[in-house]
Amino acid sequence: MSAHLTTVAGVPVDTRHWIGGERVASAATFTDTSPIDGAPLAEISRGTPAEAAAAVAAARAAFPGWAATPPAERARLLRAVADGVDRRLEDLSLVETTDNGALLRSHRRGVMPRVAHNFRFFADRLEELEHEDFTTRDHTNHVTWDPAGPCVLITPWNAPLMLATWKVAPALAAGNTVVLKPAEWSPLTASLLADIAAEAGLPPGVLNVLQGYGSEVGDALTSHPDVRRISFTGSVPTARHIAASAAPHLTPLSLELGGKSPLLVFADADLDLAADLAVEQYDNAGQVCLAATRILVEESVAEEFTRRFVDRASRLRQGDPRDEATDIGPNIHPRQLDKIDGFVRRALADGARAVIGGHRGEGQYYAPTLLTDVRQDSEIVQEEVFGPVLTLQTFTGEDEAVRLANDTRFGLAATLVTGDPSRAARVSARLVAGTVWVNCFFVRDLRAPFGGSRDSGVGREGGNWSFDFYCDVKNTVTAPKGWNDHG
């Protein structure tokens, strides 16, 4: 076996970059470890600014040919990538579970099928993309979506391949070329995606994968004058740095930055449903940007809601994510575990009470936690923990519920549970959020816009909104006559 191949869960994975249709090794490496047991998985090529420049150059060289490729052919190749994902679904599931600790059953049944769906959806959307012509004083307006150029896509560690392809698929469908920079804590399935794309027939340089630390290759990518779009999912401080780096070239940005979303439970709600939805927020060990981590319950039903919640939460099984019976796996990295524990310790010292949890487990596991007696202005209520930690507060009416729900600097999502359709409409209209779920959670359709308000991000992707971002939208206005006036 090559020195640059590692075997993860029985699956060979190349640890080098993918640039211009070739594997490229770095002089230095970084160690990728599994959150399941802390064991080292691979030594990954550690990118440098020189390799970042090479990746952008490869994307720039491939852009004219890919942009000129007819939409039907681009769509065919994207569907071929989806077919490759389907064929390797088990490999991708095993590798990603080992690399980031999310449940194997979720990868098999939901996450990896969604990866394939991302490619098929945007292939279909590309072939359907059109805007009805309209007239202005008998002049015809014709709207088109023109490929913008090389795109830099910087993706997070909590759902590595699904969130990467949520960006890669529309960028490629739009006729752009891509430099994908996966998170250093979970880089392995991005490398497998490069193999799948090459096997599907994607031309060299259309998709490039650059591994490494953001602090070492990030600026080289986001400040590059040949980059035409940047899409980033991650933290607010990193987004501010990226925006400053992109500003000199006015490179358009799409930023999805997490949140501190509320779950509002009204007295007329189905409390069993509300408790189920609240416990669902522990999914992926709480490492979900959309998670409704602030539970707001109408005071008159708070005691009964809490009883039902604790009953359900007590049945959750935490352990090895490769076990089909496991409900909650490990947190991604010791540094993230320390961050989560720090939040909880400071909250307890500040007067919060742990109804359940409030402590570490063994290894990289943190006990599912519910904190009450928290102040609205406290750190635990205002800042994103990104772990299995929820808070519970009470309210006495719609106005107070909305005030508490909107009283953070974030605005990614919100969930409300009520038996009154008119209340659902009133409250939804007043919530500051990119997505509002009523009596449900995490129902995602790729036709819908996705993004956040306030510090939860800039812009929307999904459906035609993705093409609006990844393209230069052009309007061509044609006079009704006069073709031969100057002939």
Side-chain angles (χ1 to χ4, degrees):
M1 181 177 288
S2 165
H4 299 294
L5 283 178
T6 189
T7 299
V8 177
V11 180
V13 183
D14 202 304
T15 60
R16 296 171 291 181
H17 315 290
W18 179 253
I19 299 174
E22 297 180 349
R23 288 292 179 179
V24 176
S26 295
T29 62
F30 65 92
T31 304
D32 181 34
T33 61
S34 175
I36 299 173
D37 54 11
L41 297 175
E43 292 298 315
I44 307 293
S45 281
R46 182 171 171 173
T48 67
E51 286 145 351
V56 174
R60 182 185 180 188
F63 173 67
W66 183 244
T69 301
E73 176 62 8
R74 292 205 302 267
R76 184 191 69 79
L77 288 168
L78 292 182
R79 294 187 185 105
V81 174
D83 292 342
V85 171
D86 285 340
R87 285 193 296 271
R88 300 203 65 185
L89 187 144
E90 183 67 7
D91 288 351
L92 292 166
S93 298
L94 289 167
V95 170
E96 189 146 297
T97 289
T98 307
D99 200 19
N100 92 322
L103 300 184
L104 180 58
R105 73 180 191 216
S106 296
H107 282 134
R108 285 170 169 161
R109 299 171 193 171
V111 175
M112 294 309 165
R114 184 59 178 255
V115 168
H117 178 62
N118 286 344
F119 285 103
R120 291 195 178 97
F121 172 87
F122 285 106
D124 293 345
R125 202 73 175 185
L126 169 62
E127 294 187 314
E128 300 164 355
L129 191 64
E130 63 178 356
H131 190 291
E132 183 179 349
D133 288 352
F134 55 97
T135 59
T136 306
R137 299 190 302 276
D138 294 327
H139 291 63
T140 301
N141 294 262
H142 180 65
V143 176
T144 55
W145 286 262
D146 294 352
C151 300
V152 166
L153 311 178
I154 303 174
T155 55
W157 45 258
N158 58 318
L161 194 58
M162 194 273 285
L163 292 178
T165 57
W166 159 253
K167 301 175 188 292
V168 169
L172 295 179
N176 300 322
T177 51
V178 163
V179 179
L180 170 63
K181 195 284 183 191
E184 59 267 26
W185 286 352
S186 55
L188 298 180
T189 48
S191 180
L192 292 178
L193 178 65
D195 294 335
I196 291 169
E199 291 165 5
L202 214 62
V206 171
L207 172 65
N208 306 275
V209 178
L210 180 69
Q211 301 159 149
Y213 295 114
S215 60
E216 296 177 351
V217 298
D219 284 346
L221 292 173
T222 58
S223 65
H224 200 292
D226 292 335
V227 171
R228 295 291 179 259
R229 296 290 187 274
I230 299 169
S231 182
F232 168 74
T233 298
S235 72
V236 172
T238 301
R240 290 193 174 115
H241 186 81
I242 289 172
S245 180
H249 302 294
L250 297 177
T251 309
L253 299 166
S254 177
L255 306 172
E256 195 270 278
L257 309 178
K260 194 71 179 175
S261 300
L263 191 163
L264 290 75
V265 180
F266 288 90
D268 59 11
D270 178 336
L271 292 186
D272 285 326
L273 171 64
D276 286 340
L277 293 176
V279 171
E280 192 176 342
Q281 309 311 310
Y282 291 130
D283 182 52
N284 201 22
Q287 299 169 142
V288 177
C289 59
L290 293 161
T293 57
R294 294 185 297 129
I295 303 174
L296 307 175
V297 186
E298 194 157 3
E299 192 172 80
S300 61
V301 295
E303 183 176 346
E304 179 59 21
F305 167 85
T306 303
R307 185 189 68 77
R308 299 187 194 199
F309 173 89
V310 170
D311 176 64
R312 285 161 171 76
S314 67
R315 296 182 227 149
L316 294 173
R317 289 190 55 175
Q318 188 167 32
D320 192 321
R322 296 165 295 192
D323 186 337
E324 281 280 318
T326 296
D327 299 304
I328 301 179
N331 291 97
I332 184 74
H333 193 274
R335 207 158 75 212
Q336 182 66 15
L337 194 71
D338 288 343
K339 177 185 173 185
I340 295 164
D341 193 46
F343 270 111
V344 174
R345 286 178 178 274
R346 290 189 296 274
L348 294 174
D350 195 36
R353 179 174 65 89
V355 177
I356 61 171
H359 57 83
R360 293 174 182 258
E362 295 183 5
Q364 286 176 213
Y365 294 79
Y366 202 87
T369 295
L370 176 67
L371 301 177
T372 60
D373 301 335
V374 293
R375 301 190 324 273
Q376 179 63 23
D377 64 353
S378 64
E379 177 192 54
I380 197 68
V381 170
Q382 294 293 325
E383 298 298 327
E384 186 176 42
V385 177
F386 222 62
V389 178
L390 310 178
T391 60
L392 190 150
Q393 298 166 271
T394 61
F395 61 84
T396 56
E398 282 184 24
D399 287 344
E400 186 180 18
V402 170
R403 178 181 64 79
L404 292 173
N406 288 340
D407 186 22
T408 74
R409 62 193 175 96
F410 297 102
L412 184 58
T415 301
L416 65 100
V417 192
T418 177
D420 183 346
S422 60
R423 168 175 284 146
R426 285 193 307 271
V427 173
S428 296
R430 298 173 65 188
L431 293 173
V432 179
T435 300
V436 177
W437 285 290
V438 179
N439 295 333
C440 61
F441 176 67
F442 216 11
V443 177
R444 289 279 304 278
D445 191 311
L446 287 180
R447 293 172 294 182
F450 179 72
S453 305
R454 298 175 174 168
D455 277 12
S456 285
V458 175
R460 296 292 185 270
E461 295 187 43
N464 283 10
W465 290 273
S466 287
F467 287 97
D468 289 345
F469 172 69
Y470 287 110
C471 291
D472 291 323
V473 183
K474 179 192 293 179
N475 185 39
T476 301
V477 185
T478 304
K481 58 182 179 178
W483 291 105
N484 297 314
D485 288 357
H486 304 287

